[in-house]
Amino acid sequence: MSEVENIVKRGRVAQKEYELYTQEQVDLVVSAVAWAILEPGRNAELAELAVRDTGLGDAADKFKKNFRKTLGLVRDLQNAKTVGVVSHDPATGITEYARPVGVVAAITPSTNPGATPINKILNALKCRNAVVIAPSPKGLSTCARLLQFVHAQLDLVKAPRDLVQMLPDPITKDATHELMRLADLVVATGSQANIRSAYTSGTPAFGVGAGNVLVIIDENANLDSAAQKITQSKTFDNATSCSSENGAVLLDAVYDAAIDALERAGGVLLDAADKQRLHDVMFSNGKLTSTLTAQSPAVIAERAKLQHPKASGARFFMVEETGYGPTAPFSGEKLSPILTVWRAANFQAAKELVSKVYSYQGAGHSVGLHTASSGSVMEERAADLARDLPVARVIVNQAHAIATGGSFENGLPFSLSMGCGTWGKNNFSDNMNYRHYLNTTRVVRPITEKVPEVETLLANYFSQHPK
């Protein structure tokens, strides 16, 4: 028996025991495990370890992310029913029972080596599953330390430690593939190579699409407010999030004023020469390299040898673009505090440009809109984007990276894994949440038969095309 087989076998034994827990017992386990990372000292250790070992992001921001994303998830889970009867409809005679899926394989990225694993652990435990984490090699140490904290909390509530396990060091593709094959469900976040592997593992899988979020600033927007929100989002954790704005489409009527607002918020617009210097470091044969991924603006300025007099003090950089696609690599995802800006003649042109960019990269994820704070204009333009663009979310007047994965200021579920629908080659288009970790069994009772008449059902058709 391989080491991975043994891990999954132990997970199955623990899960069978855990499946007998009541809702009250399950909720106690979830609370205990949440405290593994919500406790400030442990959170700080994990945040610092993540930055030290991955070289990605900012420790203070990771601390905030670990806390807020976990706190929001616990709020979402608090009153959710995941044991026994979860719904009953006397009219249909159907009663629904929540059932676990078994052993979950959780594939997690280096960009969030603490926040994403705990999110998947808590969702899995809430639904009476066991979970095995497959961290990225860079995120191994953070995940291992997190699991030490988790196991201590499981001990406190006398729950089996094998409910939460991880692949052993070293993390290999072969071991990850074997885990996915042996598990009952795969939940994958990370590179598109990992997502494709999850979908072809032979095991039911939820995987997420690629990011490359664009935001439109229209002529009705409060420009300083929009700039502050974009800056908050673009600079958070050095833009490790797939929900961080990669580009802004500015309407011609406010282009110059919007650039000024973004610069007041800390952005620095680079000239053509600095844009080329940045390009030469960021891309190789048109492909994004990891050289500047999730690095601070100061590190980016130094590595790219930027000449702008304010480069060393920038909060983020901006580069102007007119095209999209492989010949315009700045139109794609950059995973760094670098914002591409386009000029559009009007709202319709802006929408069309976003669609073209998403045909290259980012389809299915999200689009942002900064517009009037309320009223018919806001509603009409948000509806316009929702009807026409290949996106699962339209984020209105919010800091995109904060809002898309759930926020205390909107109603989306807290998550670090965003489904992108068939546009992004995913089989779901909502934020991954506990419902994706459940099976449902339905008791179906007989009800009084009601057979409709054909003439009634097709009345509209027959009114136009008589028999």
Side-chain angles (χ1 to χ4, degrees), residues 21 25 28-33 152-160:
Y21 277 36
Q25 290 173 309
L28 180 63
V29 170
V30 170
S31 296
V33 172
Q153 294 300 113
L154 289 172
D155 290 346
L156 281 176
V157 294
K158 297 180 172 54

Side-chain angles (χ1 to χ4, degrees), residues 11 96 122 136 144 182 246 306 363-364 366 394 409 435:
E96 293 185 335
L122 292 174
S136 71
L182 293 173
N246 275 273
L306 300 180
S366 316
V394 178
E409 298 176 343
R435 293 178 182 86

Side-chain angles (χ1 to χ4, degrees), residues 251-431:
L251 267 59
D252 190 62
V254 295
Y255 185 88
D256 293 335
I259 292 292
D260 288 344
L262 288 163
E263 290 189 318
R264 286 194 297 274
V268 168
L269 181 64
L270 301 179
D271 62 19
D274 265 348
K275 178 183 176 184
Q276 186 60 48
R277 293 184 185 98
L278 200 57
H279 174 278
D280 293 343
V281 175
M282 286 188 71
F283 302 101
S284 176
N285 297 320
K287 301 291 185 181
L288 183 68
T289 70
S290 61
T291 308
L292 302 181
T293 297
Q295 300 304 308
S296 69
V299 168
I300 292 171
E302 180 181 358
R303 291 183 182 175
K305 296 180 170 55
L306 300 180
Q307 301 301 303
H308 194 290
K310 295 183 179 180
S312 61
R315 296 190 67 191
F316 65 98
F317 298 109
M318 296 180 284
V319 295
E320 293 181 296
E321 187 57 84
T322 57
Y324 63 91
T327 59
F330 281 105
S331 67
E333 188 172 35
K334 293 168 282 295
L335 289 173
S336 58
I338 298 166
L339 183 75
T340 306
V341 293
W342 286 266
R343 182 191 295 264
N346 51 46
F347 182 75
Q348 181 64 27
K351 184 179 71 172
E352 291 173 358
L353 175 60
V354 172
S355 182
K356 290 174 180 177
V357 172
Y358 285 177
S359 71
Y360 165 56
Q361 193 177 109
H365 199 291
S366 316
V367 67
L369 172 65
H370 289 281
T371 184
S373 60
S374 62
S376 61
V377 171
M378 182 191 79
E379 295 298 337
E380 288 168 7
R381 290 198 163 171
D384 200 3
L385 298 178
R387 282 192 302 263
D388 293 345
L389 289 182
V391 295
R393 302 155 199 85
V394 178
I395 304 298
V396 182
N397 292 332
Q398 297 169 70
H400 211 283
I402 311 300
T404 312
S407 167
F408 294 109
E409 298 176 343
N410 69 38
L412 289 173
F414 276 81
S415 179
L416 289 105
S417 306
M418 270 55 78
C420 297
T422 55
W423 303 296
K425 301 189 183 303
N426 298 160
N427 57 353
F428 73 116
S429 56
D430 49 353
N431 290 13

Side-chain angles (χ1 to χ4, degrees), residues 37-112:
I37 196 170
L38 287 174
E39 194 281 318
R42 293 191 286 259
N43 186 358
E45 181 182 341
L46 292 168
E48 291 163 7
L49 186 61
V51 174
R52 187 195 76 189
D53 289 357
T54 67
L56 304 173
D58 175 82
D61 285 345
K62 287 197 183 297
F63 181 94
K64 295 175 188 174
K65 184 185 296 185
N66 290 345
F67 180 78
R68 286 183 66 85
K69 289 295 185 182
T70 306
L71 184 69
L73 175 60
V74 174
R75 183 207 65 180
D76 290 349
L77 296 178
Q78 186 173 40
N79 296 316
K81 296 177 66 175
T82 56
V83 178
V85 176
V86 294
S87 74
H88 174 67
D89 186 348
T92 63
I94 292 178
T95 303
E96 293 185 335
Y97 288 77
R99 305 287 301 281
V101 298
V103 175
V104 177
I107 317 303
T108 63
S110 58
T111 48
N112 294 308

